[in-house]
Amino acid sequence: PKLLVLAEEYRRSFTMRDRVVPYLEQLVRATGETAIYCERYQQDGCVTIERRESPHHTRTVIETGVPRPLYVGSSALAILAMLPQEEILSLLRKRPLEKFTPHTPNSANQILKKLEAVRRHGYAVSVQERYSFTAGIAAPCVLGHDVFGSIAVIGPTERIKATGVDKIGRTVRSVAMKLSTALSHGDALAEIGLLRRVK
């Protein structure tokens, strides 16, 4: 329990939190769904750093601080798509690709096709690939040529589809670009040390 308390105190004091939260709140207002910010974790994973939950009684909740694979889920795919191709191939060959639901792509070719779509549209879509009955739409956050994280909207599959995947995707992509632009000004890199987390 003491470690959990310390971890939560660290998370709340994290400089990046103050910068990201307004953009997550903007996404919640625009879509009515839960919004999350993720970063790469070690080499082959990602982790949710901050979230803002949907006002709906029925909503998707995701834990902060819990690592998950970099090849499944919209937040992960948005990050993975921005890495060099050689690194992507190395990560996909590193270990067996676990199938979390019947909809999880678990071959390198399937994932590579999804990554092409991410680069083409500017956002990643995951429909019941990580959790059943849940959909996510995420866009990468970049500084120059370096991806430092992703922001996403997650919610019940049927409600996401009813709102419109492309409509939400354009919104998430726009907000991610605004966040990336905001962080490119001033001393954001020096303050937050973003590049140390993507190398």
Side-chain angles (χ1 to χ4, degrees):
K2 289 182 179 179
L3 289 176
L4 291 174
V5 171
L6 289 172
E8 181 63 14
E9 288 178 355
Y10 170 76
R11 188 181 70 83
R12 291 184 179 278
S13 67
F14 188 36
T15 307
M16 189 61 173
R17 178 179 180 272
D18 296 330
R19 294 179 177 270
V20 167
V21 164
Y23 296 91
L24 298 183
E25 292 174 343
Q26 181 180 342
L27 278 177
V28 174
R29 289 193 300 270
T31 66
E33 302 295 348
T34 297
I36 63 174
Y37 167 70
C38 294
E39 287 189 356
R40 190 175 181 186
Y41 177 76
Q42 296 182 348
Q43 292 298 312
D44 58 352
C46 69
V47 63
T48 298
I49 301 295
E50 191 55 78
R51 70 173 186 252
R52 281 295 179 270
E53 293 184 8
S54 164
H56 291 290
H57 292 298
T58 302
R59 59 180 178 263
T60 300
V61 177
I62 190 167
E63 295 177 301
T64 57
V66 178
R68 55 190 188 277
L70 199 56
Y71 65 87
V72 60
S74 61
S75 298
L77 292 172
I79 295 172
L80 185 63
M82 298 297 105
L83 300 179
Q85 188 73 1
E86 297 79 10
E87 187 173 0
I88 292 172
L89 294 173
S90 176
L91 290 171
L92 293 180
R93 294 170 183 149
K94 187 174 181 180
R95 63 182 182 183
L97 304 177
E98 183 179 352
K99 202 167 179 65
F100 293 89
T101 76
H103 304 281
T104 304
N106 67 333
S107 76
N109 285 339
Q110 288 176 314
I111 295 168
L112 289 172
K113 286 181 180 178
K114 290 186 70 69
L115 298 182
E116 289 176 9
V118 175
R119 290 187 283 265
R120 186 167 60 251
H121 298 296
Y123 57 85
V125 178
S126 170
V127 179
Q128 300 194 83
E129 293 177 5
R130 184 71 173 88
Y131 304 105
S132 295
F133 313 113
T134 299
I137 302 171
C141 301
V142 298
L143 285 175
H145 298 292
D146 295 296
V147 59
F148 63 85
S150 64
I151 57 175
V153 164
I154 57 174
T157 300
E158 292 308 315
R159 201 163 65 214
I160 292 283
K161 287 182 176 179
T163 301
V165 170
D166 190 52
K167 178 181 178 181
I168 295 175
R170 291 194 303 269
T171 300
V172 175
R173 182 181 62 199
S174 175
V175 173
M177 290 173 65
K178 289 177 183 176
L179 174 58
S180 299
T181 300
L183 290 175
S184 70
H185 299 300
D187 298 322
L189 280 175
E191 290 177 14
I192 307 168
L194 292 173
L195 290 182
R196 68 178 172 79
R197 286 191 286 274
V198 298
K199 290 184 177 179

